[in-house]
Structures are given as structure tokens and as C-alpha cells.
Amino acid sequence: SSDLKQQNFTSPAKFFIAEKMKLAKVLLTSGNFTTLNTISNDLNYCNSSTLNRRYYQQFNKRPIDDFIRNANLFLR
């Protein structure tokens, strides 16, 4: 696809992972979650280590660095 070539991705799989990491960043900064594991599960990762590795490859920082925890959810 020409869109993939314009983005300089070598495969559809790498494009998919990059898009998934963009979504991860949105979820991490949304303030709607209390744990990283919840976000990992929502992205269909069995554990947070895969999310950590891929997020670091994409953004050169850890997911926890962007994570905004929703403290209000603890009060319910």
C-alpha cells in the first residue's frame, strides 16, 4: 500500500504495532485507568512487558512515564 510506504514502515505488522502504540499513548494519558495492566489487557497483551518493550521502541520512554492514573477510581 502506498500509505505504508509513505510512513516508511517495512511491513503491515510494523504499521499495526505503531498504530497500537499511538492508541496506547492515548489510553495512558486519558486518566481513565488505575493500572498499567488494565491498559495492557485492553490492548490484548497478556502482560505489560510486551507493552513496555514496544512502547519504549516507539517513543524511547516507558509507558509509566506517560501514565496518568485516575485516583478517583480508588474512591469508589
Side-chain angles (χ1 to χ4, degrees):
S1 155
S2 63
D3 185 41
L4 292 177
K5 291 177 185 173
Q6 289 175 356
Q7 297 292 327
N8 294 322
F9 293 105
T10 58
S11 72
K14 287 187 179 184
F15 176 78
F16 176 77
I17 291 168
E19 291 299 307
K20 199 170 188 178
M21 291 304 99
K22 289 178 189 175
L23 174 59
K25 190 168 200 165
V26 169
L27 297 178
L28 288 164
T29 59
S30 71
N32 293 330
F33 299 90
T34 57
T35 68
L36 287 173
N37 281 336
T38 305
I39 295 172
S40 293
N41 292 337
D42 284 356
L43 294 169
N44 292 322
Y45 289 123
C46 296
N47 57 52
S48 59
S49 64
T50 304
L51 173 62
N52 288 334
R53 186 177 67 253
R54 290 187 171 162
Y55 196 86
Y56 191 85
Q57 289 169 342
Q58 177 93 12
F59 299 112
N60 204 32
K61 58 183 170 177
R62 302 170 305 155
I64 194 70
D65 297 333
D66 286 334
F67 185 45
I68 299 172
R69 177 176 279 120
N70 187 335
N72 293 329
L73 292 177
F74 287 117
L75 301 176
R76 293 182 186 169

